[in-house]
Amino acid sequence: MEQWKTTAVILSGLWALIEIASFFASGIPSAIFFLLSVYQALVSTYPIIQRIIIYTSLISLGYLIGRRNTTDEQSNEDDDIEEYMPDSLHGCISYNGVSWRASTELVGNSNTRINVWPTPYCPKCQTELTKGRLPSETFEIAKPAWECENCGYTSERGDDTKTTVERIAKRNFERMTTSKGENHSLNTLAKKYAQTHGSKPTGYDIWKLYAEEVDDDVVATNCFP
């Protein structure tokens, strides 16, 4: 007896679903015909409506085609630039009177860990500096300094200088890699070099072009060989 009740409930549910489907199957075409008749009535009464619809459709179609072409051109341009993209970037940061070299590997167009050379370079002759002390004319303890054995240049040596240089280098590398379409953007600089020289730029070449585009006292080129 219970099985018959269960079967009856299932059959009733199926019948209800069939009725609902039949309603929509008959209702949707009726709604479509109704809307078409309303549209025809409006167009016959107000012909300008048809013109507006046609013009709007043409404008929308033109926009979609133009956008697709622009996207394709941008994609092709990115592919062309990719072959000229260097594997790493090299920078030169001027800080506390000396010049520091920094580099970062490129993964796609994004930079990874920042590497700063352990010792800075002389801003005058690009020689690697050595640690020393500034001579004191009083009884005070001589201050730590960087000394150039080639030209005699000296500069006071700070304790946290390398950490600060790393932050500055990271900021400038990210400025290149995250910006798009700017004069200092990585893609723009790589394209500019490739068009001028017809070859793939190095990380040093990119930085030299970058230094020409930005107005920043810490962005230097006087620590490259």
Side-chain angles (χ1 to χ4, degrees), residues 65-134:
I65 294 174
R67 184 175 181 180
R68 180 176 180 180
N69 291 338
T70 302
T71 303
D72 292 341
E73 291 175 0
Q74 183 65 42
S75 177
N76 293 334
E77 182 178 344
D78 291 342
D79 292 340
D80 294 338
I81 291 298
E82 192 66 30
E83 63 178 296
Y84 290 108
M85 200 65 65
D87 298 325
S88 61
L89 294 176
H90 292 264
C92 181
I93 304 298
S94 177
Y95 187 75
N96 274 1
V98 295
S99 299
W100 296 80
R101 289 187 190 177
S103 66
T104 183
E105 297 296 322
L106 288 177
V107 178
N109 283 356
S110 301
N111 58 287
T112 56
R113 185 175 62 87
I114 307 299
N115 177 46
V116 176
W117 269 240
T119 54
Y121 288 77
C122 176
K124 293 186 175 181
C125 66
Q126 291 77 54
T127 301
E128 189 172 355
L129 300 176
T130 58
K131 293 182 179 180
R133 289 189 175 275
L134 290 174

Side-chain angles (χ1 to χ4, degrees), residues 18-77:
I18 293 172
E19 289 291 332
I20 293 173
S22 300
F23 171 77
F24 280 104
S26 60
I28 291 176
S30 300
I32 292 175
F33 286 125
F34 172 74
L35 292 175
L36 286 175
S37 62
V38 171
Y39 169 75
Q40 291 175 351
L42 288 174
V43 169
S44 60
T45 306
Y46 305 101
I48 192 173
I49 293 179
Q50 187 174 18
R51 295 181 182 179
I52 293 174
I53 293 174
I54 293 174
Y55 292 155
T56 303
S57 301
L58 291 175
I59 292 173
S60 300
L61 180 61
Y63 170 77
L64 292 175
I65 294 174
R67 184 175 181 180
R68 180 176 180 180
N69 291 338
T70 302
T71 303
D72 292 341
E73 291 175 0
Q74 183 65 42
S75 177
N76 293 334
E77 182 178 344

Side-chain angles (χ1 to χ4, degrees), residues 164-180:
T164 303
V165 169
E166 184 175 332
R167 289 199 301 267
I168 297 173
K170 181 179 180 180
R171 183 183 71 228
N172 282 278
F173 285 143
E174 289 181 347
R175 186 181 183 188
M176 270 193 283
T177 57
T178 58
S179 60
K180 300 294 182 182

